[in-house]
Amino acid sequence: MKRTLGLTLGVAAILASRVTAQLPYKNPALPLDVRVHDLIRRMTLEEKFWQLFMIPGGRADSAADYSHGAFGLQNRSATNAKTDAQLQNSLQHYFVDSTRLGIPIIPFEEAVHGVMRSGAMVYPAAIALAATFDSGLVREVASAIAREARTRGIRQVLSPVVNLATDVRWGRVEETYGEDPVLASVMARAFVGPFERQGVIATPKHFVANVGEGGRDSYPIDVDERTLEELFYPPFRAAIVDAGAGSVMTAYNSVDGTPASQNRALLDKTLRRDWHFKGFIISDQAAVGGAVVLHHTEANTASAAKHALEAGLDVIFQSEYRQYRPWLAAFRSGAIAPNVIDSAVARVLRAKFALGLFEHPYVDPDSAAAWQDNAESRSLAREAARKSVVLLQNHAGTLPLSSTVASVAVIGTDAAEPRLGGYTLDSARGVSILDGLRARFGDRVRYAPGPGRSGEEYAVVPEQNLDSLRGEYFDNITLSGPPRLTRDDENIDFHWTFNAPSRGLQIGWYSVRWTGRLEAP
């Protein structure tokens, strides 16, 4: 009886496997659009949602339920290239073998100047690559980064940054190719092409005009069409139209009163209609919700999601798994039209089919290991670093320093720390200016840290030094009239940022008066 039952189950499994293999979306011989259409009609609303929701993470979190699939994941838990490739294979096996429809994920990562993973080669920051004025060299660097990403199973990079650095106070200047739209366009074209040719989706960002007055990257931007056309569009057009980038990331800022992630003029008109962009558009991390907490143009998450997808956004990028709840609720509410959802899902699935992920979702870990820190990539990184150095003046032929120099003074904390640039893991190794000079001149180098980069401007008064601290919260900025709220606060160390201190108070429009007894520490 047991043997007969086992045989029956075995035959049933074989038959089920054959039926699955014959499903149109599983058939690589069929046209891509036929496969996309067939798969979409089989998907539930939850499965569609998860194709439009991207987050960092993996399956180590027992609370995370990926049974409905996922757009893609960003997982940095591996310690070297081989284990990284093995981890990506493990994730793909789960989604291919253990979810109902077997839709593979797009593993993604930052790669502005190297894959942001343990053991990956770090190249000069983008601003330094631009300073080489050598597009051929940048093309070689991008090709090396793309190959390293591909061997590890990474199929999308959130790079390059093609915004213009129009204000030196902007914290992201080093990620860019500088302030010149022509140079930025040349470098964007050189960087994106190798990724797309090697089957890794490039994602130029942040669309568009990400830097505002004073260097703010989340600021309202008011520019006319001519300024967009002459300054801010060219690098994106070069990356998308010329080099064929398969994805685009929206910016945190608003443009002419509408957040970039909900901006129909940018996403639907410019990208899709004017530039004929066929890829998928993702938000910057948590940018869609910024319409609610930062720009105040949307009443809630559901409204933000609805208007973002209607404007042309495809994928909502958040920072952790648990944040999915309000977004899924927005989909379930019925506020977003089914055809809008299906169009976004189609663009994501089309990319997954085009990448060959349904037929070849796995990579060879040994190939990944062979590419890690090889002589070719190390030599290329060194050449790029040398060519990126810009010498503005060499007074009296001081440089290069003579081997017989009697003493070298090095001042400043930056000299003692390897400055590899943003989008670099903390574990990445580098040689500091101080270490390099000491290796050449030994104890003839004398170092002083100087004043440092920053100093603590204030200290929080300890709780034990405050007594009967009474807070009066007003719904105006002049402490006028009766307070909206009165409460006892243990100390004054709040970080409200995008939130109000309490219900009934508007974000960014309130004042507080504390009254109490202070014993000076």
Side-chain angles (χ1 to χ4, degrees):
M1 184 68 177
K2 290 180 180 178
R3 185 176 302 166
T4 302
L5 179 60
L7 178 62
T8 301
L9 290 173
V11 172
I14 292 172
L15 290 175
S17 176
R18 288 177 178 172
V19 169
T20 300
Q22 292 171 354
L23 293 175
Y25 79 88
K26 294 274 190 177
N27 185 353
L30 291 177
L32 189 148
D33 284 339
V34 172
R35 300 177 72 185
V36 170
H37 176 74
D38 179 69
L39 180 50
I40 288 178
R41 72 183 182 85
R42 300 175 188 277
M43 298 173 71
T44 65
L45 180 64
E46 284 75 12
E47 288 167 336
K48 292 176 182 179
F49 165 77
W50 281 101
Q51 291 302 311
L52 306 180
F53 192 76
M54 64 188 290
I55 49 174
R59 298 194 61 241
D61 183 357
S62 59
D65 176 14
Y66 294 112
S67 60
H68 293 293
F71 163 85
L73 293 172
Q74 178 190 43
N75 194 301
R76 296 175 180 156
S77 59
T79 56
N80 57 53
K82 185 171 184 175
T83 57
D84 198 358
Q86 291 170 336
L87 173 62
Q88 303 314 315
N89 283 347
S90 175
L91 288 170
Q92 290 287 27
H93 269 296
Y94 170 79
F95 287 99
V96 171
D97 300 333
S98 301
T99 60
R100 188 178 73 90
L101 295 171
I103 303 174
I105 61 171
I106 299 179
F108 64 92
E109 190 48 270
E110 304 285 357
V112 174
H113 60 119
V115 183
M116 197 171 170
R117 293 289 172 93
S118 293
M121 183 59 62
V122 179
Y123 295 87
I127 194 71
L129 289 174
T132 68
F133 283 84
D134 188 339
S135 59
L137 177 62
V138 171
R139 192 174 294 109
E140 287 186 61
V141 169
S143 184
I145 298 172
R147 180 174 173 182
E148 186 159 21
R150 181 69 188 267
T151 61
R152 290 171 178 247
I154 297 165
R155 302 305 296 274
Q156 180 185 8
V157 293
L158 309 184
S159 314
V161 176
V162 296
N163 297 116
L164 298 182
T166 57
D167 193 311
V168 296
R169 292 168 292 184
W170 189 30
R172 310 190 77 151
V173 167
E174 68 175 41
E175 304 170 22
T176 75
Y177 297 124
E179 65 180 342
D180 187 334
V182 176
L183 178 61
S185 298
V186 170
M187 293 305 174
R189 194 179 298 113
F191 192 89
V192 168
F195 282 92
E196 294 293 339
R197 286 191 290 272
Q198 295 191 48
V200 180
I201 295 173
T203 311
K205 59 185 184 182
H206 312 81
F207 196 70
V208 63
N210 196 210
V211 55
E213 297 298 329
R216 299 172 176 90
D217 72 352
S218 304
Y219 210 59
I221 304 295
D222 293 305
V223 291
D224 57 32
E225 192 66 25
R226 179 172 178 174
T227 302
L228 288 172
E229 287 289 348
E230 293 184 354
L231 291 180
F232 300 120
Y233 281 164
F236 282 95
R237 190 184 289 111
I240 296 163
V241 179
D242 299 344
S247 181
V248 181
M249 178 185 286
T250 63
Y252 283 122
N253 55 275
S254 65
V255 178
D256 294 337
T258 303
S261 296
Q262 281 98 354
N263 199 309
R264 190 185 296 268
L266 294 178
L267 309 186
D268 184 53
K269 180 183 181 298
T270 299
L271 281 176
R272 298 208 189 281
R273 285 191 277 164
D274 296 349
W275 297 359
H276 307 290
F277 177 62
K278 303 299 183 184
F280 59 89
I281 303 172
I282 69 174
S283 71
D284 203 342
Q285 196 171 76
V288 180
V292 181
V293 301
L294 174 63
H295 298 292
H296 313 303
T297 57
E298 300 285 0
N300 49 51
T301 298
S303 172
K306 169 183 168 64
H307 292 143
L309 266 69
E310 288 177 346
L313 187 80
D314 298 309
V315 181
I316 297 167
F317 185 16
Q318 290 294 120
S319 58
E320 63 168 306
Y321 170 80
R322 290 167 182 79
Q323 294 172 354
Y324 80 89
R325 293 182 178 89
W327 303 104
L328 178 56
F331 276 63
R332 286 174 171 168
S333 71
I336 308 171
N339 67 304
V340 171
I341 295 173
D342 286 355
S343 293
V345 174
R347 284 187 280 268
V348 170
L349 293 180
R350 192 174 289 113
K352 291 187 175 186
F353 280 119
L355 288 173
L357 286 169
F358 281 81
E359 290 72 50
H360 306 288
Y362 311 116
V363 293
D364 177 11
D366 290 331
S367 176
W371 185 250
Q372 178 175 327
D373 196 19
N374 62 58
E376 181 183 345
S377 58
R378 182 170 287 274
S379 175
L380 179 61
R382 184 176 292 111
E383 179 188 3
R386 284 173 176 159
K387 288 190 174 182
S388 72
V389 174
V390 178
L391 181 60
L392 297 180
Q393 186 180 42
N394 191 12
H395 184 67
T398 303
L399 297 177
L401 293 174
S402 169
S403 60
T404 60
V405 67
S407 177
V408 178
V410 180
I411 303 169
T413 53
D414 274 355
E417 301 172 9
R419 310 298 292 172
L420 300 179
Y423 292 113
T424 305
L425 292 179
D426 292 340
S427 59
R429 302 186 308 276
V431 178
S432 70
I433 294 173
L434 180 60
D435 289 339
L437 288 170
R438 280 175 171 166
R440 181 173 175 83
F441 298 105
D443 57 9
R444 286 177 286 171
V445 175
R446 291 182 289 175
Y447 169 70
R453 285 189 298 274
S454 62
E456 189 168 327
E457 298 175 0
Y458 64 89
V460 177
V461 177
E463 181 182 330
Q464 59 268 25
N465 291 83
L466 296 169
D467 182 43
S468 302
L469 192 62
R470 193 72 163 171
E472 296 173 290
Y473 293 75
F474 299 83
D475 56 4
N476 55 70
I477 61 171
T478 58
L479 302 170
S480 303
R484 184 65 180 262
L485 168 72
T486 301
R487 70 186 185 196
D488 292 329
D489 291 320
E490 294 180 349
N491 62 3
I492 304 175
D493 185 22
F494 299 104
H495 304 269
W496 291 310
T497 314
F498 295 148
N499 300 296
S502 175
R503 291 183 180 275
L505 296 175
Q506 294 185 41
I507 300 171
W509 192 258
Y510 55 85
S511 54
V512 189
R513 176 170 59 221
W514 285 280
T515 307
R517 187 178 182 84
L518 164 66
E519 179 183 339

